[in-house]
Amino acid sequence: MKFFIDTANVDEIRDLAATGMLDGVTTNPSLIAQSGRDFFEVLKEICDTVDGPVSGEVTALDAEGMIKEGKTVAKLADNIVVKLPLIWEGLKACSALSAEGIKTNVTLCFSATQALLAAKAGATYISPFVGRLDDIHIDGMELIEDIRTIYDNYDNLETEILVASIRNPNHVKDAALIGADVVTVPPAVLRTLAGHPLTDKGLAAFLADWEKSGQKISS
Ligand code: E4P
């Protein structure tokens, strides 16, 4: 499973990319606004920082406008993915951009039929938002299971499932159990994934015993 980071904060991206476990980045208009930086400038810097796909979202609401914006964004770097909202106009733009070989991420997906349409439109990625469904008491992971089943039923549906709106480590675990292709995780959640109190306790005990032994590992 691929790990993307869901942020436009370049310091966070650089820091987590140094782990060697970061496969890509997703942004959205809210995250770009939070960064306080120019859309093109920050996206370009992110693309130069990571080797993997970097999603940048269009803001036009009609297909023609989305295609125009998408083509402009796509020129930024080879690893750009054009993010489009899951509305009919976004699907039209997705078909057109995909036909030109531009990678696409169809976002704001909240139903299995929406995901089916995005795959038929040739989306590279579909982004179902699990956290926002959980927020309204609808099981977000059930949607991931449904999309996995539907995509696996048809050999011609090649869209990757990119689980978005991740709020906690269990979302990551459940997405992996279902066989989602990608998770996009906020930096704070990503940092919690390696932590366990028993790991910290065990390490402290090992190091205390080692100290008492008076030994050193030297080359
Ligand atoms: C995905 O691409 C979105 O940027 C993101 O995951 C939305 O998450 P949120 O629901 O926490 O805002």
Side-chain angles (χ1 to χ4, degrees):
M1 187 170 67
K2 285 172 266 191
F3 272 53
F4 290 0
I5 188 173
D6 196 29
T7 185
N9 181 322
V10 182
D11 289 339
E12 289 275 26
I13 294 167
R14 204 166 277 129
D15 195 43
L16 286 158
T19 64
M21 283 187 282
L22 202 60
D23 301 300
V25 177
T26 52
T27 67
N28 63 38
S30 305
L31 293 171
I32 298 283
Q34 269 169 36
S35 78
R37 296 188 53 192
D38 173 77
F39 174 77
F40 290 104
E41 185 195 284
V42 74
L43 265 187
K44 177 79 181 115
E45 196 174 334
I46 295 170
C47 288
D48 291 343
T49 306
V50 292
D51 287 334
V54 175
S55 291
E57 190 160 340
V58 300
T59 52
L61 286 175
D62 61 306
E64 199 185 326
M66 289 181 196
I67 293 166
K68 206 169 159 213
E69 288 184 6
K71 284 182 179 174
T72 305
V73 173
K75 282 192 198 125
L76 264 183
D78 288 344
N79 53 338
I80 272 282
V81 176
V82 175
K83 212 171 174 190
L84 302 153
L86 212 159
I87 54 178
W88 281 111
E89 293 299 298
L91 293 168
K92 277 198 255 173
C94 179
S95 295
L97 293 169
S98 300
E100 292 197 28
I102 293 172
K103 290 200 165 39
T104 52
N105 174 358
V106 177
T107 189
L108 290 167
C109 170
F110 294 95
S111 80
T113 48
Q114 285 183 317
L116 180 55
L117 288 173
K120 284 187 72 68
T124 315
Y125 302 100
I126 181 69
S127 288
F129 279 35
V130 292
R132 293 191 194 188
L133 281 171
D134 288 353
D135 288 347
I136 57 163
H137 309 292
I138 294 173
D139 186 347
M141 280 300 153
E142 261 181 38
L143 173 60
I144 306 304
E145 279 174 9
D146 288 350
I147 299 172
R148 182 74 283 160
T149 302
I150 290 168
Y151 283 8
D152 288 350
N153 279 346
Y154 301 97
D155 288 342
N156 63 336
L157 300 183
E158 290 169 356
T159 300
E160 293 192 36
I161 303 172
L162 193 172
V163 181
S165 189
I166 295 251
R167 300 278 160 79
N168 56 58
N170 281 341
H171 278 151
V172 176
K173 180 192 77 173
D174 292 341
L177 283 170
I178 293 166
D181 302 286
V182 192
V183 280
T184 188
V185 190
V189 177
L190 196 50
R191 288 180 195 286
T192 66
L193 294 182
H196 197 287
L198 290 180
T199 305
D200 297 341
K201 191 176 167 195
L203 183 59
F206 285 160
L207 293 181
D209 290 341
W210 184 248
E211 178 78 24
K212 279 185 231 149
S213 82
Q215 298 187 65
K216 279 199 169 32
I217 301 173
S218 48
S219 53

